[in-house]
Amino acid sequence: MLYGEYAVDLRQSARYNFDLVATVRELERKIKIDGISRRAEPMSRHTSFRIGGPADLYLKPRSVEEATRITSVCAADSLPCFLLGGGTNILVADKGIRGIVLDVTGLTGCDVEGTLVSALGGTPVSQVAELARDSGLAGLEFAYSLPGSLGGAVWMNARCYDAQMSDILEYVESIDERGVLHRQEIEPAQWSYKVSPFQSGGRMILRAGMRLAPGDSERIATLMSDHRADRERKGHFLYPCAGSVFKNNRDFGAPTGKIIDSLGLKGRRIGGAQVAPFHGNIIINTGQAMAHEVRSLILAIEEEVESKLGLRLEREVLLVGEW
């Protein structure tokens, strides 16, 4: 159970030595959620790439109780369960995802108490930033217009405009596979550039509390608008994509996009996947791209950067599903 990478070969794992299809159907019958339940749901409907094969069973609970029950049953039956947020930083395989996809974006809501803003993990990041702005609280401007959910942003310690989630986080509440609630105060040593302690351990991020600072709502709104306009200028919203494919490494001396551009890779295509003509660190779906084409393009970029410059790029986009 995780927000990030899930790419095991079920046929080679003793843990999944059962009739997966029958188990999934039994789980569907057993859980009976009030939310959405669909078999063979195309993941292309739920990712920013607009790419991805079917999930054996797609569940979108309406309550925390339902989500907790799903994770507990999956753990008891040793059934793989992938936690889906906004689907903005993943590439789902053409074959799809075996087992359960638990979509947490139905678990939304946020509150303000003094300078503390708290929100459920499925809440869109921009919605939380807008609440902070309207409450005259500064500190979340950097996250405005970031696609995806708050839980996903916490999971990957989202960073942009010289700020990151761990700068403002005060606590995170999560649920483990047994359905037990954990509250974790933030320890800076456990967080780094696009790394969080939740990237291991398989906990579902339920809620996050963010300590902000008093500010002027109009000034906050202006900064948020500037960030949105900057992303628009960079072409982030022109085509289906997952934003930055690779992390930036300051030791490389330049942003990854410029490094890729220096090798003349902008515009490189494999099938329907293309390195964006406007940004070297973005791969776009030109309309009919397949996941294997995007993956092949990622590998081609990595190989060329390493062979010509001796640099090993680190992926930001996660490969999910049955590859």
Side-chain angles (χ1 to χ4, degrees), residues 10-286:
L10 301 180
R11 294 167 298 181
Q12 297 180 4
S13 175
R15 179 184 175 190
Y16 304 116
N17 185 22
F18 51 71
D19 184 343
L20 188 58
V21 174
T23 304
V24 165
R25 290 176 178 172
E26 174 63 20
L27 177 67
E28 184 182 24
R29 184 196 63 77
K30 186 186 301 184
I31 290 179
K32 292 287 186 182
I33 67 170
D34 292 329
I36 297 171
S37 176
R38 297 179 186 144
R39 295 181 194 171
E41 173 73 358
M43 292 304 295
S44 57
R45 297 176 180 173
H46 305 284
T47 65
S48 59
F49 256 131
R50 299 294 179 259
I51 290 173
D56 288 338
L57 182 61
Y58 167 87
L59 300 173
K60 185 176 181 180
R62 291 183 178 177
S63 68
V64 172
E65 185 277 331
E66 283 188 346
T68 302
R69 186 151 43 92
I70 292 168
T71 59
S72 298
V73 172
C74 286
D77 291 353
S78 297
L79 190 65
C81 180
F82 175 75
L83 296 178
L84 176 69
T88 57
N89 208 43
I90 60 176
L91 176 64
V92 177
D94 297 318
K95 293 181 181 179
I97 301 178
R98 305 288 68 79
I100 306 301
V101 169
L102 173 54
D103 185 341
V104 300
T105 58
L107 309 180
T108 63
C110 40
D111 301 288
V112 177
E113 184 176 347
T115 59
L116 182 68
V117 175
S118 62
L120 289 173
T123 310
V125 179
S126 287
Q127 182 178 326
V128 184
E130 288 169 350
L131 175 64
R133 174 199 62 199
D134 296 343
S135 303
L137 295 175
L140 255 176
E141 299 89 337
F142 76 96
Y144 182 67
S145 76
L146 274 178
S149 65
L150 178 64
V154 170
W155 187 92
M156 71 170 298
N157 193 19
R159 178 184 177 87
C160 50
Y161 303 114
D162 297 320
Q164 58 191 4
M165 291 301 300
S166 58
D167 294 339
I168 57 174
L169 283 173
E170 183 163 299
Y171 71 86
V172 178
E173 292 179 353
S174 61
I175 297 174
D176 65 23
E177 293 180 344
R178 299 169 298 163
V180 177
L181 178 67
H182 301 262
R183 180 183 171 104
Q184 181 174 334
E185 306 299 325
I186 300 305
E187 298 180 14
Q190 297 180 337
W191 301 71
S192 59
Y193 174 63
K194 296 188 177 177
V195 172
S196 83
F198 295 97
Q199 291 171 11
S200 61
R203 292 184 182 180
M204 177 175 68
I205 295 172
L206 175 63
R207 178 184 297 273
M210 293 147 283
R211 182 67 66 181
L212 305 181
D216 178 74
S217 292
E218 291 187 4
R219 185 174 181 180
I220 294 169
T222 298
L223 190 54
M224 288 167 60
S225 296
D226 289 345
H227 290 339
R228 171 76 187 192
D230 181 58
R231 291 189 172 100
E232 289 176 347
R233 284 192 300 270
K234 292 176 179 176
H236 283 218
F237 310 117
L238 292 176
Y239 295 89
C241 69
S244 297
V245 175
F246 302 101
K247 297 180 181 180
N248 286 314
N249 187 330
R250 295 183 181 180
D251 293 338
F252 291 169
T256 300
K258 290 187 177 180
I259 291 171
I260 294 171
D261 186 26
S262 72
L263 297 177
L265 295 176
K266 281 201 300 190
R268 172 80 63 87
R269 292 183 68 126
I270 295 180
Q274 182 182 33
V275 179
F278 47 81
H279 199 300
N281 198 18
I282 294 176
I283 291 178
I284 61 174
N285 175 0
T286 61

